[in-house]
């Protein structure tokens, strides 16, 4: 079970000084202690929203480079995150990376990140996630395909989370799935009504179909916020 260390709590409180609070709106109930939460990424805003403005403590999936040493974090930020995903020119990315890497590395160290890989080591993340869920803690996953950047209208979801759902179900964990959408400009994080994996697993022919369904529904949540179809107290 992940527990936030004292230094990390102080670090998060410091970050809050510079971040406007996110309002969480639930179409159903609040997230259970043992669940899968899917969300759009919105750069670093997605993890920050859950970590800074949610009462619960989660564990997160994230690229393994962010668990590495300073050199690995810097390389990922400058070669991939800032340039490919945020579309910042490489020379500027290198300068920003010098200042951003130490802070990002500390943040992700405090997250106790579940590292993900694009090879057979991916199953380490599955087993680690299963153990976390078995202990009664929820796991947050950002499955959007962000290779070309982050967009308000999501283009696709990677299907890795469906592997975890089936893995857990086969071992007796029928997990509720909470889909959410963070609207950065309106400072609203909308969380959909949960669905059990057992309720939807037979509705799709394959993993990609299930991932596409959740991606489309996530975009619907975003449009609900954009169009003001919410009663926010």
């Amino acid at each position: 079970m992940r527990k936030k260390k004292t230094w990390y709590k102080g670090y998060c409180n410091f970050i809050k000084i510079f971040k406007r609070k996110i309002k969480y709106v639930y179409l159903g109930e609040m997230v259970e202690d043992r669940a899968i939460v899917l969300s759009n990424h919105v750069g670093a805003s997605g993890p920050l929203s859950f970590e800074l403005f949610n009462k619960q403590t989660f564990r997160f999936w994230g690229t393994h480079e962010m668990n590495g040493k300073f050199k690995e974090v810097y390389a990922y930020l400058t070669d991939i995150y800032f340039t490919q995903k945020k579309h910042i020119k490489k020379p500027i990315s290198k300068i920003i990376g010098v200042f951003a890497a130490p802070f990002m590395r500390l943040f992700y160290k405090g997250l106790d990140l579940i590292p993900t890989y694009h090879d057979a080591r991916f199953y380490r993340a599955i087993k680690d996630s299963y153990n976390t869920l078995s202990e009664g803690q929820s796991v947050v996953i950002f499955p959007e395909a962000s290779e070309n950047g982050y967009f308000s209208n999501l283009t696709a979801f990677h299907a890795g989370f469906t592997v975890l759902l089936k893995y857990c179900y086969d071992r007796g964990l029928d997990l509720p799935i909470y889909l959410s959408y963070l609207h950065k400009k309106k400072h609203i994080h909308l969380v959909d009504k949960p669905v059990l994996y057992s309720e939807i697993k037979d509705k799709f022919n394959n993993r990609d179909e299930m991932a596409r369904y959740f991606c489309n529904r996530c975009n619907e949540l975003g449009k609900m916020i954009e169009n003001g179809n919410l009663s926010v107290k």
Side-chain angles (χ1 to χ4, degrees):
M1 180 71 71
R2 177 193 170 209
K3 293 183 179 179
K4 296 180 182 179
K5 296 181 179 179
T6 302
W7 72 265
Y8 182 67
K9 290 179 181 179
Y11 185 67
C12 287
N13 287 332
F14 174 74
I15 297 175
K16 283 183 181 180
I17 298 173
F18 308 96
K19 301 294 291 185
R20 181 171 172 178
K21 187 174 181 179
I22 298 293
K23 173 71 175 182
Y24 273 81
V25 181
Y26 297 88
L27 298 182
E29 64 266 22
M30 293 180 66
V31 178
E32 294 183 9
D33 290 334
R34 180 187 290 170
I36 296 295
V37 184
L38 307 176
S39 179
N40 59 326
H41 212 298
V42 202
S45 297
L48 281 170
S49 172
F50 280 105
E51 189 70 357
L52 300 182
F53 305 116
N54 204 298
K55 294 181 180 179
Q56 289 176 270
T57 300
F58 304 98
R59 289 197 70 194
F60 300 80
W61 275 20
T63 183
H64 66 92
E65 288 92 345
M66 295 307 294
N67 262 6
K69 297 180 180 180
F70 174 84
K71 185 177 181 180
E72 295 172 279
V73 174
Y74 176 80
Y76 175 78
L77 291 176
T78 57
D79 295 338
I80 298 176
Y81 180 74
F82 289 133
T83 52
Q84 297 180 23
K85 297 177 182 285
K86 302 290 286 185
H87 303 138
I88 299 173
K89 292 182 179 180
K90 191 65 172 287
I92 299 176
S93 295
K94 287 186 174 295
I95 296 172
I96 297 174
V98 172
F99 299 97
F103 292 100
M104 294 290 282
R105 186 168 180 266
L106 273 179
F107 179 69
Y108 278 93
K109 182 179 180 180
L111 282 182
D112 189 20
L113 193 72
I114 299 174
T116 57
Y117 300 83
H118 297 289
D119 54 30
R121 292 174 293 175
F122 172 67
Y123 279 91
R124 294 181 187 175
I126 298 297
K127 293 179 180 178
D128 195 357
S129 301
Y130 172 75
N131 291 335
T132 297
L133 291 157
S134 297
E135 294 171 351
Q137 193 165 30
S138 295
V139 173
V140 178
I141 301 173
F142 305 95
E144 69 175 287
S146 60
E147 290 81 0
N148 297 316
Y150 303 105
F151 305 100
S152 57
N153 189 63
L154 312 178
T155 58
F157 270 11
H158 292 299
F161 69 92
T162 68
V163 179
L164 174 60
L165 287 166
K166 185 178 186 304
Y167 184 92
C168 291
Y169 182 78
D170 290 344
R171 287 157 180 79
L173 287 183
D174 185 13
L175 298 170
I177 309 161
Y178 290 80
L179 182 65
S180 65
Y181 185 99
L182 172 60
H183 197 296
K184 187 176 180 180
K185 291 183 179 179
K186 296 197 174 185
H187 308 284
I188 294 175
H189 210 143
L190 179 60
V191 183
D192 205 356
K193 295 179 180 179
V195 293
L196 286 172
Y197 177 67
S198 60
E199 296 174 342
I200 63 168
K201 67 182 183 66
D202 296 325
K203 294 183 178 181
F204 309 99
N205 293 319
N206 52 53
R207 297 170 182 170
D208 290 335
E209 279 191 11
M210 183 180 291
R212 191 177 307 116
Y213 164 80
F214 279 108
C215 180
N216 292 338
R217 177 58 183 166
C218 196
N219 282 326
E220 290 176 6
L221 295 178
K223 290 176 183 177
M224 290 174 64
I225 303 173
E226 187 67 34
N227 296 331
N229 297 333
L230 296 174
S231 178
V232 182
K233 297 182 181 180

